[in-house]
Amino acid sequence: MADFSRPGSLYGAIDLGARKQALDAQARREATGPQAAASAAVVDVTEETFSTDVIDRSMTLPVILDLYSPRAPGSAQLSPVLEKVVGGMGGRAVLAKINVDASPQIAQALRVQAVPTVLAIFQGQAVTGFQQVLPEQEVSRWLDELMGAVEQFYQANPDARPPAAGQEEAEGPQEPPADPDLVAAEQAIEQGDLDAAAAAYERLLARAPGNEDAKMGLAGVSLIRRTADADPADVQRRLQDPADLDAQLLAADLEMLSGSVDEAFDRIIAVVKRTSGDDRDKARRHLLGLFEALPNEDPSLSRARRALSSALF
């Protein structure tokens, strides 16, 4: 059983800032390393590499899935066109080729009814696609529309845009000044004023809807509020009743605050697997709320998203 003991401050329980800083540093290193140069590669994907080559890579740029069969004449026509067009995009997208005969579980999970099928995956989700052989001009037009939608996403969420290769070295190590609302929120948390902290985070999100620090902070404030009056011993007792959904969700909250992030996610995913209807939806929404408390690049978050998708579909 997890240890539900917790400090009195969110920043003492889960050092989200430290997690985010470590992940940002790793991203800066990778932005200028070999992975950046290989970002435009055409990759062959299997069931074993799908999570890494498709889901993980789609968090920073679109991944175009070419779901093909060597037995299908249409695949033989379309695949070279996709390779040419995507290969000429200068690394703004990745073409992931999946042989549905060799990887039937992927085809089943994506509900592929015929080949060739083309899907665009971005931020872990299928956003558009088609199921026919298209000429090069129409494939290019489809990709232009996709990239336009991706650019609109980054304009609405500027903090989610990955840095260009070499950008941070050219700009030097200077850090931008902290946003005053972010500073006010952190000070309010340290003083125990959760209402003031939430208000500051909400002001920042009103100005910058994609600000990850504000999203994480607001989710953290909600976490503290939900657990403020919780008695860990009582929660442990209530967990003996498998039907007590609220106890499971509260236990996950306490695990988050004690730093047991993976345990918290696994607990709710297990609830999603064994429930249905309103209970399942309540658990799913609660888990999505916990996701907001971590930076998008956190490996625990990527793993849990994949596990949740598997549990749901």
Side-chain angles (χ1 to χ4, degrees):
M1 189 65 66
D3 179 7
F4 292 152
S5 60
R6 58 182 173 86
S9 162
L10 175 66
Y11 292 100
I14 310 175
D15 192 350
L16 299 178
R19 288 180 80 121
K20 187 174 188 302
Q21 289 168 10
L23 290 164
D24 288 347
Q26 179 181 355
R28 287 193 295 270
R29 291 193 298 271
E30 293 177 350
T32 56
Q35 292 182 0
S39 60
V42 176
V43 295
D44 291 311
V45 174
T46 66
E47 291 168 358
E48 291 74 21
T49 63
F50 184 85
S51 293
T52 300
D53 286 344
V54 176
I55 300 300
D56 291 349
R57 296 184 82 171
S58 77
M59 295 303 170
T60 54
L61 76 169
V63 177
I64 311 303
L65 300 188
D66 176 14
L67 294 135
Y68 74 95
S69 169
R71 300 179 290 106
S75 293
Q77 291 178 262
L78 182 61
S79 290
V81 174
L82 291 169
E83 291 181 18
K84 178 182 178 181
V85 176
V86 177
M89 294 177 65
R92 294 184 298 144
V94 172
L95 179 63
K97 298 174 63 64
I98 301 174
N99 182 342
V100 298
D101 296 336
S103 300
Q105 291 185 6
I106 296 178
Q108 182 179 5
L110 295 175
R111 300 178 184 177
V112 175
Q113 301 297 321
V115 289
T117 289
V118 176
L119 294 173
I121 310 296
F122 184 61
Q123 296 284 299
Q125 302 292 326
V127 294
T128 183
F130 58 89
Q131 286 187 329
Q132 62 192 101
V133 177
L134 296 179
E136 180 178 334
Q137 184 177 5
E138 292 190 32
V139 171
S140 296
R141 183 182 303 115
W142 176 77
L143 283 168
D144 287 342
E145 292 175 356
L146 169 66
M147 299 311 296
V150 170
E151 180 59 28
Q152 289 180 1
F153 169 83
Y154 281 133
Q155 289 177 359
N157 302 273
D159 293 329
R161 188 189 296 271
Q167 176 181 351
E168 296 193 0
E169 282 73 10
E171 293 176 350
Q174 295 182 351
E175 293 290 335
D179 186 282
D181 280 325
L182 191 61
V183 173
E186 293 175 354
Q187 291 176 344
I189 287 178
E190 293 300 332
Q191 295 166 5
D193 190 345
L194 298 182
D195 290 339
Y201 285 133
E202 288 167 353
R203 288 195 302 269
L204 178 50
L205 286 171
R207 293 185 287 106
N211 188 281
E212 187 175 59
D213 289 323
K215 288 182 178 179
M216 290 166 54
L218 194 58
V221 168
S222 297
L223 191 58
I224 295 175
R225 283 172 166 166
R226 291 197 302 269
T227 57
D229 298 324
D231 179 356
D234 181 59
V235 174
Q236 294 279 19
R237 178 187 58 77
R238 290 172 57 191
L239 288 176
Q240 302 304 312
D241 179 5
D244 192 337
L245 174 62
D246 290 336
Q248 294 291 338
L249 301 185
L250 186 54
D253 287 345
L254 292 170
E255 285 168 334
M256 285 287 288
L257 283 177
S258 69
S260 301
V261 174
D262 291 329
E263 289 82 352
F265 290 166
D266 289 344
R267 177 183 296 279
I268 301 184
I269 290 169
V271 172
V272 170
K273 288 180 178 179
R274 65 174 181 262
T275 55
S276 60
D278 291 342
D279 284 351
R280 190 185 209 199
D281 187 59
K282 181 177 181 179
R284 179 189 63 83
R285 287 185 285 107
H286 194 94
L287 181 59
L288 295 178
L290 293 185
F291 284 175
E292 294 285 340
L294 293 180
N296 288 330
E297 303 84 0
D298 195 294
S300 293
L301 190 56
S302 299
R303 186 186 69 83
R305 280 174 171 158
R306 293 193 295 268
L308 177 61
S309 296
S310 177
L312 291 171
F313 305 109

